[in-house]
Amino acid sequence: MATKLRKALRKEKLVIEYTAEVIKEALHDFSVKKPAPLLAWDQGLFLACRQHINDLGPRGKLDHKGSDGKTVFERINRHGKYRGMCGESFVIGKERPKEVVLALIIDLNNSSKQNRRAMMEQKFIKGAVCTGYNIKYGVWTVFAYTSQ
C-alpha cells in the first residue's frame, strides 16, 4: 500500500500543500498496519451523508452533529438499523476524487489523525460517501462507516 501511495503522489503531483514530514508519517502508518477490508456500499449510510450535507451545507457549518443536535450514530439510524462502531469523516475544498482520498490519508489539520484511522479501521465493513456544497467552505465530502 505504501508503495502504491508513493507512486500515486508522484503521478498526480498532489503533494504541493503537504510537507515531506506529513507524507512520511502517512506512509509509515500505511506500511506498518494491516490493510483495512474493502467496504461494502450502504445506501442508508449514503442517505445519512447526503442528509448531513443538505442540512449543514446551506448554513455554512461543519460539525459532526446536525442542526437538530443529532450525532452521526443517530443520523445513520434514521436510514437503517446499525449497531456497533460508526464513524464519519469530512474533506473540504477538494473536488477531484484522488485529492479527497489523499486529504483523508494525510489528515493534515487533525492532530489525532481520526480520518486516517477511520480509513484503516479493521472493524468497519460498510461505508458510503456523498459530496455536496457548503456555502462557507465550498466543496464538502462526507464519509460514513459502520462495523455492522
Side-chain angles (χ1 to χ4, degrees):
M1 176 69 167
T3 303
K4 287 182 182 178
L5 181 57
R6 276 190 203 95
K7 287 179 183 176
L9 289 171
R10 274 192 233 112
K11 180 180 177 188
E12 293 299 318
K13 298 181 181 149
L14 299 175
V15 297
I16 296 167
E17 66 185 285
Y18 305 119
T19 66
E21 182 180 331
V22 297
I23 292 170
K24 284 179 184 176
E25 176 188 293
L27 290 170
H28 172 75
D29 282 356
F30 276 91
S31 67
V32 298
K33 296 195 177 170
K34 181 180 173 185
L38 292 176
L39 299 176
W41 177 262
D42 188 274
Q43 188 65 17
L45 294 178
F46 165 75
L47 294 172
C49 293
R50 185 176 71 182
Q51 174 191 356
H52 202 48
I53 287 171
N54 291 339
D55 175 28
L56 297 187
R59 293 175 168 84
K61 299 196 181 241
L62 288 177
D63 198 330
H64 290 287
K65 286 190 177 181
S67 63
D68 60 0
K70 301 290 184 191
T71 65
V72 62
F73 187 76
E74 293 167 315
R75 187 169 48 259
I76 66 173
N77 275 292
R78 288 180 186 152
H79 302 284
K81 301 225 182 285
Y82 300 97
R83 298 180 312 275
M85 290 176 54
C86 70
E88 182 176 68
S89 299
F90 300 157
V91 173
I92 55 171
K94 305 293 183 193
E95 294 184 23
R96 294 172 48 206
K98 288 181 181 180
E99 291 175 325
V100 171
V101 172
L102 183 58
L104 282 176
I105 291 169
I106 300 295
D107 210 2
L108 190 60
N109 296 317
N110 188 345
S111 61
S112 67
K113 304 299 179 205
Q114 288 176 303
N115 292 325
R116 185 185 309 159
R117 287 198 334 248
M119 286 184 69
M120 300 169 71
E121 176 54 60
Q122 297 292 314
K123 293 178 183 172
F124 289 149
I125 60 169
K126 295 180 183 178
V129 60
C130 185
T131 298
Y133 189 76
N134 183 298
I135 61 168
K136 185 174 180 183
Y137 299 97
V139 178
W140 181 27
T141 302
V142 176
F143 294 82
Y145 323 89
T146 64
S147 62
Q148 295 183 359

